[in-house]
Amino acid sequence: MMESNLINWTLDNIGSRQRNGLTPPRDMRETIAQIKALPPLPGSALRILNLIADPGADARKLADIIELDPLLTAQITRWASSALYGYRGQITTVHDAITRVLGFDFVLDLALGLAVLAPLKSPKEGQIGTRMFWTHALASTRLMAQLAAVMPAAARPEPQALFLSGLMHNIGFPLLGHRFPDEFSYLSGLINANPSLAIFNLETFAFGLNHAEIGAWLMNVWSMPRMITDIVYHHHNPCYRGENHQLNLLTFYSDCLLGRLGIGDAVNQICPEDVPELLGLDEAVCLEILDSQNDDLVKILATAEQLTD
């Protein structure tokens, strides 16, 4: 049904694409094969990855790494001062942000995510723009942690894995906007013209591949941890049962729930009925947790706006 609707829409609009700003996409796989280089992994991200492997890592070492990057320093201190975290004092240093507000593990993950995303310059507006990317990422990190808290302890993912998965699983969209601006614009037009269809299906129909594949490609090039690459690649597949499958399923379910609030790329995504049970979750409890997200939504939107200024 989805494909026939799309085909009908394409046939109906093929004569008006120029008027609507839509142009036929290039062969994405051929285009990717011709790319000689991607944006390099930023030095800050590489230093943070090395710190993760350092048994002597502490707040001072982390602050020293972050403070080598003025933009990253500003983002971390601004994040700690955000209304999301309710700290009433003044944050003037990265060390303060770590020790007074956010904590070492949180800032380690956050700094890695921010550093990784820094070189990707993508349009801000729209359902796949950077404002929605950050809104979705912020909402995901909070919702996934709340859902994990009510999972059986034995199945509960590590907090660091939860945060990085929530923050980075949709990195394919900023990469699409950065490296393939024409295709990004084309997909945005398809999304606007087909508001009742799932974005994942639209991009697969249009390009023969999707943001999960594009994002995993970047993660592999950057030699990011296997866990992140797995989630980036599989997060739209609730049937995946390989390594990190529980974390992947939780990411998928969180996206489905946020889609009910109009957040992210899973607005029209179908969630199999057995997903909550497979996670050891009570769906009614999950919906109550989702309702509580509305209380933070204004703060999340404000923080996402700051991050895309």
Side-chain angles (χ1 to χ4, degrees):
M1 184 66 175
M2 185 279 296
E3 285 204 2
S4 68
N5 286 344
L6 262 176
I7 290 168
N8 288 338
W9 178 86
T10 303
L11 291 174
D12 289 345
N13 289 274
I14 198 165
S16 58
R17 279 181 172 175
Q18 293 300 322
R19 185 180 71 246
N20 294 332
L22 296 176
T23 56
R26 295 171 288 177
D27 185 318
M28 287 283 284
R29 294 186 186 278
E30 180 181 341
T31 303
I32 286 173
Q34 293 173 353
I35 291 176
K36 303 301 181 185
L38 284 168
L41 182 65
S44 296
L46 189 58
R47 288 188 286 271
I48 293 165
L49 284 171
N50 290 334
L51 184 66
I52 290 173
D54 180 359
D58 58 18
R60 183 70 270 159
K61 288 184 178 180
L62 177 56
D64 288 346
I65 288 173
I66 292 171
E67 287 169 354
L68 292 172
D69 185 329
L71 177 59
L72 191 54
T73 297
Q75 288 174 314
I76 295 293
T77 53
R78 184 163 57 177
W79 197 295
S81 302
S82 164
L84 270 175
Y85 300 99
Y87 182 72
R88 297 184 181 278
Q90 187 174 9
I91 300 298
T92 58
T93 68
V94 173
H95 193 267
D96 285 345
I98 297 169
T99 58
R100 295 185 182 181
V101 187
L102 301 175
F104 175 81
D105 289 339
F106 184 92
V107 174
L108 186 70
D109 298 339
L110 176 61
L112 177 59
L114 290 170
V116 163
L117 288 158
L120 304 180
K121 309 303 179 187
S122 185
K124 176 179 178 179
E125 306 297 334
Q127 193 67 17
I128 56 173
T130 54
R131 185 197 288 115
M132 178 57 80
F133 172 88
W134 279 111
T135 300
H136 189 199
L138 288 167
S140 293
T141 58
R142 296 174 76 81
L143 180 58
M144 287 178 66
Q146 291 173 317
L147 293 175
V150 295
M151 288 175 67
R156 197 175 297 156
E158 293 293 324
Q160 184 177 32
L162 287 169
F163 184 86
L164 285 174
S165 297
L167 186 68
M168 296 178 62
H169 67 278
N170 272 330
I171 195 171
F173 285 130
L175 177 59
L176 180 68
H178 175 85
R179 195 60 184 79
F180 307 102
D182 291 342
E183 284 77 4
F184 185 94
S185 176
Y186 179 81
L187 178 58
S188 295
L190 280 178
I191 293 167
N192 291 336
N194 296 274
S196 65
L197 299 181
I199 292 173
F200 185 79
N201 292 338
L202 284 168
E203 60 186 325
T204 303
F205 175 88
F207 306 137
L209 78 170
N210 51 67
H211 70 282
E213 295 173 88
I214 295 172
W217 167 53
L218 180 64
M219 296 296 93
N220 279 321
V221 169
W222 281 353
S223 300
M224 294 296 286
R226 170 68 183 273
M227 178 270 292
I228 293 298
T229 304
D230 280 352
I231 304 309
V232 169
Y233 186 75
H234 293 291
H235 70 272
H236 278 280
N237 179 13
C239 298
Y240 172 68
R241 292 297 179 268
E243 191 176 355
N244 302 304
H245 74 273
Q246 280 289 94
L247 178 59
N248 184 73
L249 192 60
L250 182 61
T251 306
F252 172 84
Y253 186 48
S254 172
D255 279 1
C256 289
L257 290 174
L258 289 172
R260 297 186 182 205
L261 302 182
I263 295 174
D265 63 319
V267 172
N268 297 306
Q269 184 167 279
I270 297 172
C271 182
E273 293 182 0
D274 62 345
V275 168
E277 182 180 354
L278 289 170
L279 290 166
L281 292 169
D282 182 318
E283 185 174 19
V285 172
C286 295
L287 293 177
E288 289 178 6
I289 292 172
L290 181 66
D291 286 341
S292 72
Q293 288 284 307
N294 283 314
D295 297 334
D296 289 330
L297 193 51
V298 172
K299 296 175 183 177
I300 287 171
L301 289 169
T303 303
E305 188 66 40
Q306 286 182 340
L307 287 165
T308 51
D309 281 347

